[in-house]
Amino acid sequence: MLQTRFKNTPTPQFLDVFDDLFGKGIGINEGYTNGPAVNIIETAKEFKIQVAAPGLEKKDFNVEIEERKLTISSDAEIGKVPEGDVYRNRQFSIGKFKRIFTLPERIDEDAIIAKYSSGILELTIPKLEKVKDLKQIKIN
């Protein structure tokens, strides 16, 4: 089971479901915040990962894939407190973050599409067609 040091993390039941879809999927690395909220959607043909990051621009994101590990990160920070200002309630800010997802085996890494619009980074990850059923080969 994934362990994290942050409050307000998903319940263990949610992580179990998430793990079934994407392996041991959420990665939180030292020096980074928990990061923005993420939705994961599965359809018959693809997965979609939506990252809520209002205030960032597409140039602020870094998206990489290596050995079925999809990394979404940013070093940009929004919501810095100007000197002299005092927040009475603060629920909106994004610091630098890094999220790592282990992708399922049957996805098309070369066809992943990323777009950023209205504060949402959305990655579309197409599934590969299922491998055909096992065929028995007759030995002569």
Side-chain angles (χ1 to χ4, degrees):
M1 174 61 61
L2 173 70
Q3 298 294 319
T4 156
R5 294 169 283 149
F6 299 98
K7 295 181 181 180
N8 301 324
T9 55
T11 62
Q13 294 82 11
F14 174 77
L15 290 175
D16 290 343
V17 170
F18 185 83
D19 289 348
D20 288 345
L21 293 176
F22 277 80
K24 301 293 181 191
I26 300 176
I28 301 170
N29 294 351
E30 290 295 324
Y32 292 89
T33 67
N34 197 19
V38 174
N39 291 334
I40 297 176
I41 303 161
E42 181 177 10
T43 69
K45 295 184 177 189
E46 64 196 12
F47 290 98
K48 289 184 186 245
I49 297 177
Q50 299 171 331
V51 180
L56 294 181
E57 299 178 26
K58 67 181 183 179
K59 68 176 180 56
D60 295 328
F61 292 98
N62 186 32
V63 181
E64 300 174 330
I65 189 164
E66 183 178 8
E67 297 180 7
R68 291 186 30 237
K69 302 275 190 221
L70 174 70
T71 302
I72 302 170
S73 62
S74 176
D75 286 329
E77 292 189 36
I78 60 172
K80 286 187 177 181
V81 180
E83 191 169 329
D85 287 357
V86 176
Y87 278 85
R88 299 294 180 201
N89 183 15
R90 185 172 185 183
Q91 296 181 359
F92 179 81
S93 69
I94 298 177
K96 66 180 185 173
F97 69 90
K98 183 180 224 178
R99 300 288 297 264
I100 301 171
F101 304 91
T102 301
L103 299 174
E105 289 183 19
R106 293 191 175 122
I107 58 119
D108 188 351
E109 290 182 3
D110 296 325
I112 295 174
I113 298 170
K115 67 178 182 176
Y116 184 70
S117 176
S118 301
I120 305 290
L121 173 67
E122 182 173 273
L123 282 82
T124 302
I125 305 166
K127 294 179 181 179
L128 292 172
E129 290 186 30
K130 290 184 178 180
V131 176
K132 295 184 179 185
D133 292 331
L134 179 66
K135 259 183 139 174
Q136 187 68 31
I137 298 173
K138 185 177 178 180
I139 301 173
N140 294 325

